[in-house]
Amino acid sequence: MIVRFEYFAPKSLDEVLRLLDEYGPDACLLAGGTDLLLKIRAGAVTPTAVIAIKAVKGLDLISFDTTKGLFIGATALLSDFAGHPAVTKHYPALRDAALATANVQVRNMGTVIGNLCNASPCADNAPTLIAMGGTAVVESRNGGRCVPLEDFFKGPGQSVIGPGEIVTSVTVPVPPKGSGASYLSLSQRSRVDMSAVGAGVFVRLESSRIAQASIVMGSVGPVPMRASKAEAILAGKRPSAALFARAGEAAAKESKPISDVRASASYRRQAVGVLVERALGEAAARAKGD
Amino acid sequence: MAAFDIVGKGVPRTDARAKATGSATYTDDIKLPGMLHGRLLRSPVAHARILNIDTSRAKALPGVKSVITGADIPPVRYGNWRLFPNLQDEYALARDKVRFIGDEVAAVAAVDRDTAEEALGLISVEYEELPAVFDVDAAMRRGAPLVHDEVEGNVSLDRKIRYGDVESAFKEADYVRKDTFTVQAVSHAYLEPCSSVAQCDQDGRITLWTSTQVPYIVQCLLASTLKMRENDIRVIKPTVGGGFGGKMELRPWEFCAAFMARSTGKPVKFTLTRREELATGRRRHPMKLISKVGFKKDGTLLAKDLKILLDGGAYNAMGPTATFLCGNFGAMLYRYPAYRFLGLHVYTNKPPASAMRGFGAPQSLFASETQMNLAAEELGIDPIDLRLKNAQVPGDEIPDVATISSCGFRECLENVAVMSDWKKKRKSKKKGYGVGIGCYSFISGGVFNWFNTQYAFSTAEVRAFADGTVHLLTMASDIGQGSDTVLKQILAEELGLAMQDIRLTTADTAMTPQADLGTWGSRVTLMAGNAVIDAARQIKEQLFGAVSARFNLNVIYDLECKGGRVQAVGKPERGVSFGEAVAMVQKTNRGKALVVRGSYTPRRKGLVTPAFSFGAQVAEVQVDQRTGLVDVKNMWTAHDCGTVINSKSVEGQLEGSLHMGLGYALSEQLVMDGGVTVNDTFLDYKIPTALDMPHGVSACVPTYEPEGPMGAKEAGEGMVSPTAPAIADAVHRATGYRCMDLPITPEKILSGMKNKG
Ligand SMILES: Cc1cc2nc3c(=O)[nH]c(=O)nc-3n(C[C@H](O)[C@H](O)[C@H](O)COP(=O)(O)OP(=O)(O)OC[C@H]3O[C@@H](n4cnc5c(N)ncnc54)[C@H](O)[C@@H]3O)c2cc1C
């Protein structure tokens, strides 16, 4: 497979937007390239223009503000993100998800937003970011829009991002008082691997009851998927091991996994239930400040 | 036992600095002026007749210098089993049939790799697809499609071993069990993909640099397939990044590089991609093993009846040897008064299996050792006690096959029990926790001359110089296992020199003495080591003569090479430096250089090997009972490798085999969908990572192997075998699930637990 394309490394966002506009559907954005280059080599995409965005100044910003929450720039590396003091302090579940992604070398090249834009059903950073109410900021030459991450994914490898568009950042609200989140994943080769299944959950407690719960499962459907029946089971209840086990079971039932070389559908179903149950336990403990 | 100066020490490897700094030169690093780049066209179908190949469009592509197919090359079949030409079943490029997805059909050489790749797409091949067979049962069914038209029933080879009266032993037995095991295909996954560069000189002679374990075999088979004389082919092995049995044959890209270098007059390089390696490369044999054993009530073994079906894939490759060896290992470790083995090597339309670390032992021992654990459980005997009761000891004979010389197996068992605190841990009832045991024995090189070499099995030339240095030349091939270091150590020890006094030239068929059969079956330390000692002793003989004359020593004096000197034992003042002694010999011989050749060929050593290694391993696991994930916490190993020549090397071998054994046990598997290898990337072919490695503790049981160099024998290949049965046994203790078909996946554990209720 021989691929020939124009390579651009613009220094400004304006220039990125201009190139995106010019090349339309034939352009690919390149952040860390840890997904894109593999796809190009495999012939899965055949861009005529590759636009590298790491040279754009300021695009790798990670910042936290007690009113606006967390800001993740388009080229923020997974490793910088996982090591950022504000992330560690306020969003330990997001840190865990970033650390569950690939290995040290890949995290030093790959970006959080590249992980989302690649739109793999097993993207490790998606479930928790969705569960915590993250929003993608999308820009193009014709203006911008904000897309809740919940609505971001359309199918394996497909997102709402159209030709000419770039995700410039993702924002995550300040975790409310009494809330906690957790991300757990597993694969056969346990510690550094593409996940066979994953679960990101967020819970908020109010007077010892669950006021809000979001459960998002990875690798058990075409897109990271919300377990709304399991969430309903939790609503208004006091957190307990038995409750979380029931929610886990419900989540397993809702999941729509496929069988592939990484795991069978029935195993994925069973395992995602266990992960949801355990993640809820960890999230509730974090919410209580244990 | 003699005390050693250098042998036994953790001497740093000769290649450590080059590898750590990235300056080691691998084959793909070689770039010659005007060099062309080759790519191979592989069959997309598992079984088909080739009706027509049209290369005209590929040839017309600018930059393409050569396109060849099976029709362009001499119709010579090759294979490592030269002793039995009917087992040589491969052509470098397919002639009338393709037999697996990936079978090499055509080759292109072009000015760059991309052009060569593009040209592949321009070759059109017309296939008439044939029905195919993908497992041993289907292949052996009556009327099954034939992978090779001339091989009835798709069984290319059978092997029988038989001694004692098996039938009456089973009648006498109080306890008989029969089990069927299956094991999966796994990849060698050496980090350096196969690569070759060939150059043709003005006289038409070929030089081939290639990533191989067997330069001599490649030289000979290349000569026969190119219809050239052996001496007109020079094979050089640069630094090699691992082989594990996957690089021990002549391969099509080696042939094509040489053939096209000759036809184009330009150097040609082929380097495989990882995808090619995983999807089409050699692999460890999947096997189906049916084993029946009989015991007395007290645990005494009476008999074993073992049948093994090897899924060989489309060609024999090293399958015949694996068929011999898995039968041999079926009767190792324990004393079987009666034994019957039938091994069948079966063709299927899949990428050929071949030699891989353990060479039949990992499969055979997974079955044997698991069956021992099953029997122990039902007989109500501790599995270590059951093993001790039946363990082989020095002097044991396997009729017609081998006699065991040194053997520290009992000590290994006793040792590992103590190291791991076995009795206590085995009793633990902690949920999801278990310890288990597996053992191994392995060969130190083979004695059966399947390659039909006309030379000694290993050879070493030593040249000694008046400046106090020596030059060791041997065809022995260091492929990462560290033989360069070990051979130097052996020579340094014998000649009383330091490591830096020795220059080394290895694995160049035109420069190093004929011959060495290569690196496989753990043969190099023992065989090349013995050849080095043979040469060193001849050097010493001459040096001693000169020193003896110079000091007018009484003939009863013993002499030694020690600390850079040649001297009378106990009277160091009657001696000279090594260099002076060499100068004296040279003077005596009126200027003739001091050069000798040593060799080693095993004789009167039965059918298998000159020496067996042994070991026992205990695994400790914690299993997540709800996800089925296995965490291997600790591994304890006690092993008997004879004299340790290099402690660091032995330690490295142990770590490496643990890692490979861990993958075999838990995560590695080439997943097949018919003839397609589904997981052809390292993303989905799951080699354990550094983070998956358990904590390991090991101990060497001291023994002295009389046939080995300075008492040494095999280390590190055999140790790949006990890990899977040990982990499987531990998982059984932890969960109740007994694995009879590797690998032990979380899914199998969960469904196994469910079936237990
Ligand atoms: C060895 C290895 C292991 C891996 N393990 C994991 C793992 O465990 N878990 C996991 O989830 N992933 C894993 N990955 C996948 C990959 O590393 C991650 O998805 C990574 O976060 C991708 O980031 P990147 O910056 O490299 O993306 P790129 O490859 O640069 O881009 C990915 C895709 O997103 C598009 N894109 C990038 N940035 C933008 C943007 N700002 N706006 C719009 N589109 C954009 C690109 O065009 C491309 O299609 C692994 C990859 C490798 C090579």
Side-chain angles (χ1 to χ4, degrees), chain A residues 29-36 38-39 53 74 78 100-102 106 110-111 113-115 117-118 122-124 166-167 193-194:
Chain A
L29 289 172
L30 174 84
T34 60
D35 277 315
L36 184 67
L38 270 61
K39 282 194 193 167
I53 55 174
L78 285 158
T101 314
V106 171
T111 60
I113 290 181
N115 187 240
C117 292
N118 190 52
C122 64
D124 271 307
I166 175 175
V167 176
D193 211 0
M194 270 324 198

Side-chain angles (χ1 to χ4, degrees), chain A residues 6 37 61 74 85 98 114 116 140 149 160 193 232 252 259 286:
Chain A
E6 295 284 325
L37 291 188
L61 182 71
L116 300 176
S140 74
L149 286 178
V160 295
D193 211 0
S259 291
R286 281 178 174 159

